[in-house]
Amino acid sequence: LVPDRSLRGTAYGVMGTVNGIGDFFSSLAVGLLMHFAGIPTAFLAAAGVMMIGTILLATVRGAGVAK
C-alpha cells in the first residue's frame, strides 16, 4: 500500500512498531483484568473486543483500500 518503493522498508518498520505497541498494551490490559477482576472476566473482555473487531471488519471491509 506504500506507493514510494524507497519508503516500503520504513513503512514495514512502522507497522511492526505499531503492532508491537498494541500487543503490549492489550497484554497489559488483559493481565490487569486477570489480576484484579479474575480470569473469566479477562477472557470475556478479550472475546468482546475480538467480536467488535470482527463486526468492524465485516462492515468496513474494503473501504479505503486502493485497487
Side-chain angles (χ1 to χ4, degrees), residues 1 60-67:
L1 296 174
V60 185
R61 182 179 51 181
V65 176
K67 295 182 179 180

Side-chain angles (χ1 to χ4, degrees), residues 2-11:
V2 179
D4 187 358
R5 292 180 68 85
S6 65
L7 294 177
R8 288 187 181 170
T10 301

Side-chain angles (χ1 to χ4, degrees), residues 36-60:
F36 292 110
I39 294 173
T41 303
F43 278 103
L44 284 173
V49 170
M50 286 185 271
M51 182 62 74
I52 291 169
T54 302
I55 292 168
L56 284 173
L57 281 173
T59 57
V60 185

Side-chain angles (χ1 to χ4, degrees), residues 16-43:
T17 301
V18 170
N19 191 15
I21 291 170
D23 288 347
F24 173 75
F25 283 111
S26 66
S27 297
L28 180 67
V30 171
L32 289 172
L33 276 172
M34 280 185 177
H35 182 72
F36 292 110
I39 294 173
T41 303
F43 278 103

